[in-house]
Amino acid sequence: MDRICMKDEKPVIPIDYDAVKSLKTGDVRSFDVLFRKYSQRLYKFSMSYLKSEEEAREIVQDVFLYIWENREKLKPECSFNAYLFTIAYSRVKKFFLRKLRDTNARDELIYSLLKQENNLDRVVDFRSLLEKVEQIILQFPERRRQIFLKRKYEGWPVKQIAEEFGISPNTVENHLSSAMKKLREELRRNNISELFFWMFFLPCDRDKTPK
């Protein structure tokens, strides 16, 4: 069985295994599926740092262009989610470096911290965090996992999820609440800051998905 790319963990098939495997061969539809699934979260992630809609959209476009141009190097057995946000994090960091240079690096302390890649990696290991999140999600009961992914990854409204599964909106909310509680407990148990947990699971709003 293929495994997610983390050490000392039981082998599991990543959430996006099939889509990434098809994308690796040049399948455009799989690329579109992954773009629709992740572009909104990537946009909000970039906005949380850049505070600019235009610049956040540029990050999203740049990241997915890189994914497409390097599709043959993709590893379906690894977490695509973690890979995607690692690239985005790198792009955001480079953006700040350029901006600081353009303003003559007024804040030399921030500049030096951003330059020291190893220091930042020790503070926030995004790849490890996202892979751990994906492993926890894969352990959810089937129905709860599907509801969580549609809401938090794909941005579906609660009402639409309820109609899709033939359940009440309150039941959907209960599944989401239980999933979030489990995630928080597991991340806390692994000494991962809640700040980063909330950063990746901001409220969803399909109307603000980048065009």
Side-chain angles (χ1 to χ4, degrees):
M1 183 181 288
D2 296 302
R3 60 176 287 117
I4 201 166
C5 293
M6 287 188 69
K7 296 180 180 179
D8 303 322
E9 297 286 352
K10 294 180 180 179
V12 292
I13 298 177
I15 291 170
D16 300 301
Y17 179 86
D18 291 335
V20 175
K21 186 176 181 181
S22 296
L23 171 57
K24 187 178 174 71
T25 66
D27 184 62
V28 176
R29 285 178 296 181
S30 294
F31 178 84
D32 289 341
V33 166
L34 291 167
F35 180 84
R36 288 195 301 271
K37 182 175 181 179
Y38 287 107
S39 59
Q40 179 181 346
R41 293 179 61 228
L42 207 59
Y43 171 76
K44 289 184 176 181
F45 170 79
S46 301
M47 271 290 290
S48 70
Y49 286 102
L50 304 177
K51 312 301 180 185
S52 164
E53 293 183 1
E54 180 180 356
E55 290 163 351
R57 282 195 294 268
E58 287 181 7
I59 292 290
V60 174
Q61 293 168 0
D62 186 38
V63 168
F64 276 97
L65 177 61
Y66 177 87
I67 292 293
W68 177 254
E69 292 179 341
N70 293 274
R71 58 190 181 279
E72 294 180 359
K73 300 177 183 178
L74 292 173
K75 297 179 180 179
E77 68 275 12
C78 297
S79 169
F80 181 76
N81 181 36
Y83 180 56
L84 195 67
F85 279 88
T86 300
I87 297 172
Y89 176 56
S90 175
R91 295 294 192 274
V92 168
K93 185 171 63 176
K94 287 178 181 178
F95 169 85
F96 278 117
L97 284 172
R98 288 198 305 271
K99 201 162 189 176
L100 284 169
R101 291 191 185 107
D102 291 342
T103 58
N104 297 316
R106 293 175 184 174
D107 192 336
E108 293 185 8
L109 176 59
I110 295 178
Y111 181 82
S112 64
L113 285 173
L114 285 168
K115 276 183 65 178
Q116 294 176 24
E117 209 169 296
N118 291 334
N119 286 346
L120 271 183
D121 289 342
R122 282 196 293 269
V123 175
V124 186
D125 187 346
F126 285 107
R127 180 184 292 271
S128 176
L129 168 63
L130 291 169
E131 287 178 343
K132 172 53 76 174
V133 166
E134 185 163 315
Q135 285 199 326
I136 296 169
I137 292 170
L138 287 167
Q139 294 171 11
F140 289 168
E142 179 68 21
R143 174 63 62 88
R144 182 167 299 164
R145 181 170 70 249
Q146 292 175 355
I147 289 173
F148 183 85
L149 290 174
K150 287 189 180 301
R151 178 62 180 154
K152 298 299 181 179
Y153 279 62
E154 301 176 36
W156 283 35
V158 169
K159 183 178 179 181
Q160 184 179 352
I161 296 173
E163 293 172 351
E164 174 76 11
F165 290 99
I167 56 180
S168 71
N170 283 341
T171 301
V172 172
E173 293 286 6
N174 289 338
H175 275 292
L176 292 171
S177 177
S178 296
M180 295 287 274
K181 181 180 179 181
K182 179 65 174 178
L183 267 175
R184 291 175 68 182
E185 290 174 350
E186 289 297 318
L187 294 178
R188 192 181 297 121
R189 190 167 64 83
N190 285 273
N191 298 316
I192 299 174
S193 170
E194 260 188 54
L195 170 64
F196 305 125
F197 168 77
W198 290 113
M199 180 185 299
F200 290 112
F201 295 104
L202 293 168
C204 299
D205 184 351
R206 292 180 71 88
D207 294 335
K208 294 187 178 180
T209 302
K211 306 297 183 183

